[in-house]
């Protein structure tokens, strides 16, 4: 099965963000997303049950601002909702 990459625009802190998000599944059957903003470095976002939204994981020196993660999480939740329907 071919993996679909999602492209969308959102904004955070008044800045427009062009996002590329590609889902992938890990061994536990959880879906995570490889996310790139404006063609930049790839970040991994995973669902956090306790916080009830996607969070950035495995970040090193190139951290995403929380406002960006929140805006992208909102869009990814919409994608997940559509996939489940």
């Amino acid at each position: 099965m071919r993996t679909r990459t999602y492209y969308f625009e959102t904004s955070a802190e008044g800045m427009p963000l062009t996002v590329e998000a590609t889902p992938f599944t890990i061994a536990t059957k959880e879906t995570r997303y490889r996310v790139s903003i404006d063609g930049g470095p790839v970040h991994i976002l995973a669902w956090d049950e306790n916080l009830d939204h996607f969070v950035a994981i495995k970040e090193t020196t190139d951290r995403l601002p929380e406002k960006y993660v929140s805006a992208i999480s909102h869009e990814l939740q919409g994608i997940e909702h559509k996939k489940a329907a």
Side-chain angles (χ1 to χ4, degrees):
M1 178 158 102
R2 185 177 167 102
T3 301
R4 178 175 180 184
T5 298
Y6 298 93
Y7 302 89
F8 56 87
E9 292 186 7
T10 189
S11 64
E13 298 180 333
M15 292 189 56
L17 306 172
T18 301
V19 180
E20 180 179 331
T22 305
F24 66 99
T25 305
I26 62 171
T28 60
K29 304 292 185 211
E30 293 175 73
T31 299
R32 295 185 175 178
Y33 284 86
R34 289 180 186 91
V35 174
S36 175
I37 300 171
D38 299 328
V42 173
H43 299 271
I44 305 297
L45 271 61
W47 184 255
D48 186 310
E49 291 287 334
N50 294 325
L51 298 175
D52 203 30
H53 65 84
F54 285 92
V55 295
I57 61 170
K58 297 184 182 179
E59 290 192 307
T60 54
T61 57
D62 197 19
R63 300 187 80 101
L64 282 175
E66 185 55 39
K67 297 279 185 180
Y68 289 20
V69 173
S70 180
I72 294 167
S73 175
H74 179 75
E75 297 291 335
L76 293 177
Q77 287 177 52
I79 289 170
E80 288 291 312
H81 181 71
K82 287 179 186 175
K83 284 175 28 180

